[in-house]
């Protein structure tokens, strides 16, 4: 039977590739790369570097075009559901046309496949339609959250306390109940600015050569982060940033 690896490749540093990921890449016959447009060509380039470093000479690389998506929808859940469905059709076509019986295919996923990535859900949707048959295995990776904490030399939680991973859209609705430490991803609106007394540990393009970091109270470094973020986005055409927001619990 055909098999597909969903391989977490870390946040951007090729040295963060795990031994399990490297071995899985070495066993793969067909790599499926999803093109997100010219502004994100560097993401494709890094995947190709990793493939060249760890794959065998007879592998094949197949590219597909990522469907367009509204980034500021009125119906967020419905828009994401529709985008995932259209993406599943692209994935399904690539698999049907290029993965032969008893071959191994792979999707290389930024960070960890289980954290704010749609590949697992998309493969489940393809299998549920029943037109394609394959088994798949998930290979964990180092997430941007773990890489961010390492770069700032901090723990994500404090002693005996939980932390929560959420999105900027959720943070904009208010600080999550029951936690004082919040890791925020996908924050296009910079929701941290509403919490000037909190400490922030911020990073963009973490673990890549373009990495930028900042830390301090939001009141002290918030404007610097906004300016740095805007300049980086203008320079690269895209940005991936993550931060830990930590509320002061001392009276």
């Amino acid at each position: 039977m055909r098999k597909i690896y969903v391989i977490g490749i870390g946040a951007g540093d090729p040295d963060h590739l795990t031994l399990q990921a490297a071995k899985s890449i070495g066993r793969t016959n067909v790599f499926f790369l999803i093109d997100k447009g010219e502004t994100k060509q560097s993401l494709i380039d890094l995947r190709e570097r990793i493939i060249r470093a760890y794959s065998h000479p007879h592998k094949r690389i197949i590219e597909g075009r990522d469907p367009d998506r509204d980034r500021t929808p009125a119906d967020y859940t419905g828009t994401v559901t529709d985008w995932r469905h259209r993406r599943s059709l692209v994935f399904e076509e690539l698999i049907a046309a290029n993965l032969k019986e008893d071959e191994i295919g792979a999707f290389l996923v930024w960070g960890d496949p289980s954290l704010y990535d749609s590949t697992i859900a998309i493969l489940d949707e393809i299998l549920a339609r029943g037109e394609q048959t394959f088994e798949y295995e998930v290979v964990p990776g180092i997430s941007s959250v773990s890489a961010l904490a390492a770069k700032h030399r901090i723990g994500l939680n404090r002693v005996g306390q939980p932390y929560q991973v959420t999105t900027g859209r959720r943070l904009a609705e208010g600080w999550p109940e029951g936690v004082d430490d919040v890791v925020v991803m996908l924050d296009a609106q910079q929701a941290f600015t509403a919490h000037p007394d909190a400490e922030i540990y911020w990073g963009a393009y973490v673990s890549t050569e373009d990495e930028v970091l900042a830390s301090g109270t939001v009141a002290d470094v918030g404007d610097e982060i906004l300016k740095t973020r805007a300049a980086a986005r203008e320079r690269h055409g895209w940005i991936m940033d993550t931060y830990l927001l930590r509320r002061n619990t001392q009276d």
Side-chain angles (χ1 to χ4, degrees), residues 192-199 216-220:
F192 63 84
T193 57
H195 306 281
D197 295 331
E199 292 182 58
T217 65
V218 172
D220 289 339

Side-chain angles (χ1 to χ4, degrees), residues 131-170:
E131 297 296 325
Q132 300 297 317
T133 57
F134 54 84
E135 59 182 20
Y136 73 88
E137 178 180 338
V138 178
V139 179
I142 295 175
S143 71
S144 62
V145 175
S146 296
L148 176 78
K151 291 293 183 176
H152 281 290
R153 298 180 295 178
I154 56 172
L156 294 172
N157 66 293
R158 286 178 277 189
V159 177
Q161 300 298 315
Y163 73 94
Q164 181 170 322
V165 180
T166 189
T167 65
R169 183 176 62 88
R170 290 291 189 184

Side-chain angles (χ1 to χ4, degrees), residues 84-143:
R84 281 188 175 183
H85 172 68
R86 290 184 288 114
R87 211 176 196 218
S88 77
L89 298 177
V90 174
F91 282 31
E92 185 169 18
E93 182 178 350
L94 294 176
I95 293 167
N98 298 284
L99 190 60
K100 301 174 184 177
E101 192 65 26
D102 296 326
E103 282 193 324
I104 297 174
F107 291 90
L108 305 184
V109 175
W110 286 111
D112 184 90
S114 65
L115 186 60
Y116 287 105
D117 183 77
S118 62
T119 306
I120 294 172
I122 287 173
L123 293 181
D124 285 338
E125 181 175 333
I126 293 171
L127 289 172
R129 283 198 286 267
E131 297 296 325
Q132 300 297 317
T133 57
F134 54 84
E135 59 182 20
Y136 73 88
E137 178 180 338
V138 178
V139 179
I142 295 175
S143 71

